[in-house]
Amino acid sequence: MDVKNKRVAIVGAGPSGLAACKHALAKGFRPVVFESGAAVSGVWTRTLSSTTLQTPAAAFRFSDFPWPAEMAPEPEESFPRHDEVAAYMTAYARRFGVLDCVRFRSKVIAAEYVGPPEREVAAWERWSGNGEAFGDGSGEWQLTVQHADESEGTQTYRFDFLVLCVGRYGVAKVPKFPEGRGPEVFHGRVLHSMDYSGMAHADADELIRGKRVVVVGSGKSGLDTVAQCAKINGSKNPCTLVYRSNHWMVDAKLIWGGISFGKLAMTRLSELMVHKPGEGFFLSLLATIFTPLRLLMATLVEAYYKTQIPLQKHGMVPECSFSQSILGWRLGTLPERFYDMAGGPSDTMLPLYRHCVHPRIPQMAVVGYAECAASIYPYEMMAKWVAHLLDGAVRLPGVAAMEGSVAEWERWGQWAKRQSGGVFFLKSCIGAVMTWYHDQLCRDMGYSPRRKKGGGLLAEWLQPYGPTDYASIQ
């Protein structure tokens, strides 16, 4: 069977969808990418005018496609604007032929697996029946797609494999209110940050100009919105920030003793101090031994940030420790000059093997949902793994073994959630063990997880891991 003739669909043309398409093309497939918007780069096409990267350009990049010098003259210290991020992703898509595969303004409104009956699928001992990406050829995915072009309307397409790349932030999360106590009784206008960010910049500025604005929630989008309001209205019409819990928002440009915390957190040495799923006795013992050192380092970093950032002054000192926040990766980067403008006072994991495939859902993969520090290259690693799966180079274990691995990650997630204070852990957060996770993907694809070539043992353990370490994996 020539798998290269198989039909592959990708939903979403954000960073994960672009990487998934690029690496599927590299394996000889010709995927179709359905994108509901009019351009690639996902949420980066719908942002506030003041939005920039939270992580340096050196970490937020595809492994084999560096940032243009004019956008990131010093990649380790550059935080490109939203429009530059979108331009970078568009250039990547154009360079590797991804744009030719994208159907724009095409929204997938339904996906249905058509094949063996559900009872038979539930009894399979191998994923997709035989452990292969495309099964035995008897099943397929039917996608119902709504096209903006009226001449096409709604159409149904058939594919042999489906890759979901819809990300974590493509759907607005709106709380449920008691009857008679929600937005309907508010006399002003209510907008979700996603709707506000999707407005034209001039319209968004005009909407809030001269108005009293309250922002609910202190995540990245909340703080960006507050900063935008302060920029437009100044102190004459101050914006009010309402939130349930404080969490650590730091200045990424702060350097502690010549050491960047972000770089330190991306070394093998830092992960050696953290328990990991499926780590075995020896690594578990080392993590236990080094736990006091990890806590001490986090305490020192916390104390440093408290001296450099006026958290106490504004009543924004988190209840959780910095160490707890690291495990749940509840860290964010402050908008520029944020405090200069400020005033006033589950389940833990999606049940996906390698965070990509459900052991009992055939012929489908997910790329780009796991939460981590710098999203592009972990998503790219997932895309490479899925491409190797499609090509037959990744051999999956039995369903029971896959579910066992999922359970290991779930147990680790529950541990990390407890250690991070319970409230602050995002579902499928792998930020604290990202290199460990990439090691698993490397081994599956037949590559050595040790990527620091020629640097010796010290380089392997002390130098931060980043996108370029995985560039040779294709």
Side-chain angles (χ1 to χ4, degrees):
M1 178 177 63
D2 184 5
V3 297
K4 303 302 171 60
N5 293 324
K6 292 294 186 179
R7 303 159 297 175
V8 177
I10 298 172
V11 181
S16 55
L18 298 181
C21 183
K22 183 260 188 183
H23 288 284
L25 284 170
K27 294 295 183 182
F29 296 94
R30 186 69 182 177
V32 177
V33 183
F34 294 106
E35 167 57 42
S36 61
V40 301
S41 77
V43 296
W44 290 100
T45 63
R46 305 181 297 276
T47 64
L48 301 176
S49 60
S50 58
T51 301
T52 64
L53 277 180
Q54 294 192 68
T55 51
F60 193 90
R61 55 161 287 188
F62 296 103
S63 63
D64 54 358
F65 194 72
W67 279 86
E70 61 272 18
M71 295 183 185
E74 298 291 339
E76 297 286 354
E77 302 176 2
S78 298
F79 296 81
R81 301 186 312 270
H82 64 93
D83 56 321
E84 293 175 324
V85 176
Y88 168 74
M89 293 187 188
T90 301
Y92 173 86
R94 184 179 297 111
R95 166 66 178 79
F96 294 107
V98 173
L99 286 179
D100 296 334
C101 301
V102 182
R103 297 288 305 274
F104 292 108
R105 299 188 182 278
S106 300
K107 184 177 182 179
V108 177
I109 58 177
E112 180 184 6
Y113 180 72
V114 179
E118 186 174 343
R119 179 177 298 180
E120 180 181 336
V121 172
W124 282 344
E125 295 183 358
R126 302 295 304 276
W127 186 67
S128 291
N130 59 3
E132 303 291 336
F134 302 100
D136 63 3
S138 62
E140 65 180 14
W141 284 91
Q142 292 186 359
L143 303 187
T144 304
V145 181
Q146 178 68 56
H147 298 284
D149 185 344
E150 294 182 0
S151 64
E152 293 185 277
T154 301
Q155 294 190 18
T156 299
Y157 300 88
R158 301 172 183 272
F159 292 95
D160 301 299
F161 197 92
L162 172 62
V163 185
L164 297 180
C165 301
V166 295
R168 301 178 67 96
Y169 308 110
V171 179
K173 298 178 181 178
V174 180
K176 293 182 179 179
F177 296 92
E179 186 176 353
R181 298 180 61 188
E184 71 278 2
V185 299
F186 180 62
H187 297 297
R189 183 173 178 180
V190 179
L191 274 180
H192 192 278
S193 60
M194 181 178 293
D195 298 321
Y196 178 59
S197 299
M199 298 175 66
H201 293 161
D203 294 340
D205 292 347
E206 192 58 34
L207 175 66
I208 62 174
R209 194 181 307 279
K211 294 184 177 68
R212 293 176 297 170
V213 180
V214 60
V215 176
V216 180
S218 61
K220 173 61 175 171
S221 59
L223 293 184
D224 277 350
T225 304
V226 170
Q228 186 75 6
C229 290
K231 176 183 176 182
I232 299 302
N233 289 329
S235 59
K236 184 177 181 180
N237 291 288
C239 176
T240 301
L241 177 64
V242 177
Y243 54 91
R244 180 174 55 188
S245 303
N246 292 313
H247 58 267
W248 289 95
M249 298 294 291
V250 300
D251 186 344
K253 296 180 181 178
L254 286 179
I255 304 296
W256 177 45
I259 300 174
S260 164
F261 166 74
K263 290 184 178 180
L264 181 63
M266 297 175 71
T267 64
R268 285 191 181 277
L269 180 62
S270 66
E271 287 194 11
L272 193 65
M273 304 178 187
V274 181
H275 288 288
K276 297 165 283 290
E279 62 192 352
F281 174 76
F282 180 67
L283 289 179
S284 176
L285 178 62
L286 286 178
T288 300
I289 292 172
F290 284 127
T291 291
L293 178 59
R294 171 172 61 86
L295 296 177
L296 174 61
M297 292 174 61
T299 300
L300 293 174
V301 173
E302 176 180 325
Y304 175 70
Y305 277 133
K306 284 181 177 178
T307 64
Q308 299 297 316
I309 301 174
L311 299 170
Q312 185 71 46
K313 175 182 177 181
H314 299 290
M316 298 182 72
V317 178
E319 296 178 1
C320 69
S321 68
F322 194 71
S323 174
Q324 291 173 322
S325 190
I326 293 170
L327 279 176
W329 210 255
R330 293 295 286 165
L331 297 172
T333 302
L334 288 168
E336 188 173 359
R337 298 181 57 249
F338 177 82
Y339 283 111
D340 291 344
M341 302 181 289
S346 87
D347 292 332
T348 59
M349 295 285 166
L350 289 184
L352 301 176
Y353 178 72
R354 295 295 193 253
H355 297 283
C356 288
V357 297
H358 192 291
R360 296 190 181 274
I361 299 181
Q363 295 164 243
M364 186 186 81
V366 177
V367 174
Y369 189 83
E371 182 75 13
C372 44
S375 57
I376 283 190
Y377 87 90
Y379 295 171
E380 185 185 26
M381 284 294 288
M382 296 176 187
K384 292 178 180 183
W385 186 89
V386 170
H388 280 70
L389 174 67
L390 293 174
D391 195 36
V394 166
R395 308 295 297 179
L396 297 178
V399 168
M402 293 171 69
E403 291 179 333
S405 176
V406 169
E408 279 185 343
W409 276 95
E410 176 61 29
R411 288 192 294 271
W412 177 83
Q414 293 291 349
W415 170 83
K417 184 175 182 178
R418 291 192 300 270
Q419 295 295 311
S420 61
V423 178
F424 301 96
F425 191 89
L426 292 176
K427 181 175 283 190
S428 293
C429 175
I430 62 173
V433 291
M434 192 164 61
T435 303
W436 175 262
Y437 168 63
H438 289 161
D439 288 352
Q440 294 180 329
L441 300 186
C442 285
R443 293 188 186 98
D444 289 349
M445 293 186 285
Y447 291 88
S448 170
R450 305 300 188 218
R451 312 299 302 169
K452 298 293 184 183
K453 305 301 181 185
L457 188 62
L458 287 179
E460 185 63 49
W461 285 95
L462 297 179
Q463 288 185 3
Y465 260 77
T468 56
D469 293 308
Y470 302 96
S472 62
I473 298 178
Q474 297 295 331

